[in-house]
Amino acid sequence: MTAHETVAVVVVTHNRADLLVRLLDGLAAQTRRPDRVVVVDNVSTDHTADVLAARDDLPLQVITTDENLGGAGGFHLGTRAAYDGGWDRIWLVDDDVVPAPDCLATLMAVDEDCLTSVREDLTGALVEKAAVDFDLRNPLAIKPKRAAVDTVYPDRASMPERVEVQNVAFEGFMARRSVVTEIGFPDPSFFIFYDDAEYAVRARRAGRRIWAVRDAVLVRQLDFNQQHDLSGWKGFYMYRNLFVVHLRHGENALVRLKPWLITVAVVLLSPVRGGRAEARNVIRAMASARGMRRLADEARPPR
């Protein structure tokens, strides 16, 4: 079924009003108009509210949070709102991308439960980071992402029409309502990082295949920066949420043991790496991850 399916777009934003304008302009220019655009405003203090109030060309539903829930909390809230709205498909889009005019139409024409757009940068270079190999079997794989779309294919033109991927970013991921019914919602307790990867693992464990659709193009407005300070506050979430993915979804005991081994290694190497701050981060991350081995109650499938 594709011809009569409805779709809600879920956008999460925080203090990036000028980028949000470009995204909303892109959604308004779609050849297949969205049936609803749910914007979760994570307590922005810039002119985001004015930007949203001025839009009369989109079917907006604005949710303003009382506190910054992070990307994970925002996508949880937006997905729940879209699900409660009864829409057939839910398209999760961050505020720093702009879809090509036929992006949504291209996705809606594909009769699959889980899809993702393919990202390019402003120069047209392929920057799709979705993993084609996300390894939760090998305990020696320090990072589970072993290969990504943009490391396998030099450009979008060299891709087949669809590429099966094993993880996603919430920058263009689309799921049918039936997926949410079965596996639940994005886990808000992640705050940032790996919430999208964990959701993809859940989808695949439920028997869904995830397809990157070559001709559904999103243009990323900012350069990728995946090298975060592991001794800072983002480092805590990167370590903790990586550990949670392994503890929840590791396919054998050795993979589930890997977070402990990483913790020990980081602490032992801290004098020549990130120093005491990174060591404290990884110890706190491991302690917190142990309490997140089960999916958060609010992320479980709706009853």
Side-chain angles (χ1 to χ4, degrees):
M1 180 181 73
T2 59
H4 303 295
E5 285 182 301
T6 58
V7 59
V9 184
V10 173
V11 178
V12 178
T13 191
H14 173 68
N15 283 343
R16 298 206 288 193
D18 294 337
L19 288 173
L20 180 63
V21 168
R22 295 186 215 172
L23 168 60
L24 296 177
D25 287 346
L27 292 176
Q30 291 298 295
T31 57
R32 197 290 186 198
R33 301 267 296 177
D35 298 286
R36 178 63 56 91
V37 177
V38 180
V39 179
V40 179
D41 178 8
N42 260 331
V43 291
S44 296
T45 55
D46 61 1
H47 55 290
T48 292
D50 294 333
V51 166
L52 293 170
R55 302 299 302 213
D56 58 5
D57 55 349
L58 287 166
L60 285 184
Q61 176 183 348
V62 178
I63 302 172
T64 303
T65 62
D66 295 327
E67 59 181 315
N68 186 357
L69 304 176
F75 280 116
H76 168 87
L77 198 61
T79 301
R80 186 174 287 275
Y83 183 87
D84 290 345
W87 309 108
D88 297 318
R89 298 199 196 193
I90 302 171
W91 191 27
L92 306 183
V93 181
D94 212 346
D95 61 3
D96 59 0
V97 294
V98 174
D102 63 348
C103 184
L104 184 53
T106 301
L107 289 173
M108 294 297 290
V110 179
D111 188 11
E112 295 286 350
D113 287 346
C114 293
L115 303 169
T116 191
S117 317
V118 171
R119 291 170 288 177
E120 294 182 342
D121 66 15
L122 291 169
T123 71
L126 181 66
V127 291
E128 182 48 61
K129 307 296 182 184
V132 297
D133 182 8
F134 195 75
D135 189 350
L136 292 171
R137 303 174 303 278
N138 180 5
L140 300 180
I142 300 300
K143 294 182 179 180
K145 183 188 289 190
R146 309 295 286 167
V149 172
D150 67 352
T151 64
V152 174
Y153 301 99
D155 50 37
R156 192 169 62 86
S158 66
M159 293 174 60
E161 186 177 347
R162 301 181 200 173
V163 174
E164 188 168 3
V165 295
Q166 297 186 355
N167 84 338
V168 297
F170 286 161
E171 284 189 0
F173 175 66
M174 175 181 283
R176 277 186 166 137
R177 178 181 182 80
S178 59
V179 177
V180 182
T181 300
E182 183 172 357
I183 72 171
F185 302 93
D187 191 336
S189 62
F190 276 58
F191 191 71
I192 56 170
F193 302 130
Y194 287 103
D195 52 318
D196 38 19
E198 194 272 342
Y199 199 72
V201 173
R202 274 193 269 157
R204 290 195 298 112
R205 294 282 166 87
R208 301 315 204 280
R209 300 175 76 179
I210 306 172
W211 299 97
V213 181
R214 179 194 62 200
D215 297 329
V217 179
L218 282 180
V219 180
R220 208 168 196 278
Q221 303 298 294
L222 301 175
D223 291 335
F224 268 102
N225 176 18
Q226 298 187 310
Q227 303 301 315
H228 296 289
D229 179 9
L230 294 176
S231 62
W233 69 272
K234 287 185 177 180
F236 166 77
Y237 288 107
M238 291 197 77
Y239 274 128
R240 187 195 68 174
N241 297 344
L242 175 65
F243 293 168
V244 171
V245 170
H246 282 80
L247 293 174
R248 285 184 187 175
H249 302 296
E251 295 182 21
N252 56 65
L254 288 176
V255 170
R256 294 190 293 274
L257 180 65
K258 192 165 69 172
W260 297 93
L261 300 178
I262 292 174
T263 300
V264 171
V266 170
V267 170
L268 291 178
L269 293 173
S270 63
V272 295
R273 277 176 50 91
R276 293 180 180 177
E278 185 180 358
R280 285 194 297 269
N281 253 357
V282 77
I283 291 169
R284 288 175 52 234
M286 188 66 244
S288 181
R290 290 181 61 196
M292 294 173 61
R293 282 177 287 193
R294 296 183 59 197
L295 186 65
D297 287 343
E298 58 267 44
R300 294 184 181 278
R303 297 175 181 175

